[in-house]
Structure formats: C-alpha cells, structure tokens
Amino acid sequence: MPGVFVREDEPFENAIRRFKKQLQKSGVLGEVKRRRAYDKPSVKKKKKSLLARKRLLRKMRKMARTWRR
C-alpha cells in the first residue's frame, strides 16, 4: 500500500498529489475498479480476446506506418 510522509514546510495539497501519483503507479485504483463487480468467466474471456485484438490492430497499424517510410 502506497504511503506518503508529509515533509516540513510542504503544503498538504502537494502531499495529496504525490500520494495520488503513487496510487496510480501501483495500480491500486485499477484493481479496485476491476473488483467492484463480478465478471463471469465467459465475460472475462471475451474482454481478454477483445483486448488482444485491440493490441494486435494497434501493432499492425504501427508496423504499416514504418513500412511506408
């Protein structure tokens, strides 16, 4: 779990900003959102295949751009 020590002469807003950055980097918020509701195994499988397809299409577009140059 991320934690932040507030330094002397540091505004509280800066400490909150640092804490939010640490949460973002550690992926805690994403994990909470993912666990908020139960996904059936079939839905998980479908999401996983959609993400894989999206990655592949992005990779293909990137490769096509480099081939045209």
Side-chain angles (χ1 to χ4, degrees), residues 13-42:
E13 290 79 21
N14 289 355
I16 288 178
R17 193 174 308 123
R18 283 191 299 128
F19 180 69
K20 285 183 180 179
K21 277 186 185 179
Q22 283 186 0
L23 280 178
Q24 191 72 27
K25 282 184 182 179
S26 67
V28 171
L29 293 178
E31 185 72 18
V32 167
K33 287 180 184 178
R34 195 174 61 81
R35 289 177 182 246
R36 190 168 287 169
Y38 176 75
D39 285 340
K40 294 191 301 185
S42 61

Side-chain angles (χ1 to χ4, degrees), residues 27-60:
V28 171
L29 293 178
E31 185 72 18
V32 167
K33 287 180 184 178
R34 195 174 61 81
R35 289 177 182 246
R36 190 168 287 169
Y38 176 75
D39 285 340
K40 294 191 301 185
S42 61
V43 174
K44 279 185 187 179
K45 188 176 179 181
K46 199 175 287 188
K47 279 184 184 180
K48 189 176 176 181
S49 68
L50 284 174
L51 286 174
R53 181 184 170 109
K54 195 173 179 181
R55 273 195 312 270
L56 179 66
L57 289 173
R58 192 178 309 134
K59 187 176 180 179
M60 296 296 280

